[in-house]
Amino acid sequence: MAEGLARRLGTGDAVVVGLSAMIGAGVFAAFAPAAAAAGPWLLAALALAAVVAYCNATSSARLAALHPESGGTYVYGRRRLGPLWGYLAGWGFTVGKTASCAAMALTFGAYVAPGLARPLAVAAVVAVTVLNLYGVQRSAVAARVMVAFVLTVLAAVIATGLLAAPPAPGGQNPMTPGLWGVLQGAGLLFFAFAGYARIATLGEEVRDPGRTIPRAIGIALGVTLAVYVLVAVAALHVLGHARLAASGAPLAEVVTAAGFGGLRPVVTAGAAVAALGALLALVLGVSRTVLAMARERDLPHMLSAVDPVRRVPRRAELAVGVAVVLLVLVADLRGAIGFSSFGVLVYYAIANAAALTLSREEGAPPRIVPVAGLVLCLLLAATLPPVSVAAGLAVFAVGAGVRALVHRRT
C-alpha cells in the first residue's frame, strides 16, 4: 500500500499557505495591466474578479472537504466528471503553474538584482525545493514569516497612499474601456486571487479537512480581497488610473508619489519576498498535483512515491523543481501571466462543473454559485489576449493527445 502524506497542518497553517500564494508578486504588478484594460473601472474589474474567486473558492472548498486528497480539481474531476476531465484539469494546472513558478522566480531575481535575474531565479527555485523536501510544516513556517513581512509592506503602501494628496484633476485620460475592458481587467486580476487552490491541493496534509479546508479558504480569500481593495483605492488615489496603467512598479511609485520615497527600497524588498512566497506555495501545489496524477498513472508512476520518513512526495517535488529551473534558463516568460490565467480559469471551470454534481447530503453549495463560476471562468478566459488563448488551447490539445497515446499503450 502506498504511503500517505502526513496531516500536520492546522487552519492557521493552511490560511498562511493560501495567503502566500494570493498575496504574492501579483499584487505588486497586476494592477498596472488591469488598469490599462479597465481604466477608471478598475474597482469594478476587481469586484468581478472577487466574485469569480468566491464562486471558485466555494466550489473548491465543498469538493475538498468531501475528497480530502492531494491533487485538487484533478481528483474532483476524476471522481465527479470522469478521468478525461480530471486529467485536463491536472494537465492545465501543472503546465500553467509550472510557468507561473518560473515567472515568480524570475520576478524575485529581477527585484533583487536585475543583472543577475536568471542565476538568482535558479538559486531561489533550488532553495524552495530543498525547503519543501524537508516537510510541508517547515514550508508553512517559512510562508508565515514571508506573509507577515509582505502584509506589513502593503500596510505601509496603503497608509501612505490614503494620506497623500490626490493627483491634479487634469492629468487623467477620460478613457471608456467598456464591458470588454472590465472583463479583461478582471481576468488579469484573477491571476492574483488564484492561490486558494494551494489549500485544496494540500487536502491530504491538513488536520480535520472537512472543517479546516472550507474555513481556511474563506479566511484567506476574505483577507486577500480586503488587502487588494485597499491597495487599489490607495493606488488610484495617488496615481490615478492613467498613471497607474503606465507604471512598471506601481506600488513603489505610490510611496514615491505620496512623498515617502525612502520607503521605495522597502516596497522593492516586499515584492521580492512576495515573489519568493508565491514560488514556495506554487511548488507545493504543483508537486501535489503531480503526485495525484502519478498515482493514477496519468504521469510516470515513479513520481507517486512518498518519502517514508518525511512523508512528502520527494520525487514529485524534485521533478517540479527541475522543470522550473529549465524554464527559468531557456524561456521568455513575459506572457506567462496570460497563459497561466487561461489554464487556471479552465481548471476552475472544471471545478465548478464538478461541484454541480454534488448532492445536498454531500454539502452542495447553492446551485447559482457553481453555475456562475463556470460561466464566468469561461467568459474571462475568452477575454484574455489572443496569443494566450491560442497557446492555452494548443497546450490542452497536446495534453489530450498525450493521454490518448499513454492509455492506448497500457
Side-chain angles (χ1 to χ4, degrees), residues 16 20 131 136-148 277 280:
V16 169
S20 68
L131 179 62
V136 68
Q137 197 166 27
R138 293 191 182 186
S139 299
V141 170
R144 190 184 296 272
V145 174
M146 288 186 280
V147 165
L280 176 66

Side-chain angles (χ1 to χ4, degrees), residues 338-369:
F339 172 75
S340 179
S341 291
F342 184 88
V344 173
L345 285 164
V346 172
Y347 172 89
Y348 280 117
I350 295 173
N352 283 298
L356 283 170
T357 69
L358 293 173
S359 65
R360 183 173 299 177
E361 291 73 23
E362 292 173 314
R367 193 170 180 82
I368 186 61
V369 172

Side-chain angles (χ1 to χ4, degrees), residues 3-4 37 44 85 94 117 123 147-149 155-156 185 211 224 226 229 238 255 258 300 341 344:
E3 288 281 348
W85 291 106
T94 300
V147 165
F149 176 66
R211 183 167 176 262
T224 300
V229 168
V238 175
V255 295
S341 291
V344 173

Side-chain angles (χ1 to χ4, degrees), residues 6-10 14 199 202-209 212-213:
R7 295 192 181 278
R8 291 174 174 152
L9 302 181
I199 300 172
L202 295 173
E204 201 171 325
E205 294 166 271
V206 296
R207 299 188 295 269
D208 190 12
T212 298
I213 293 173

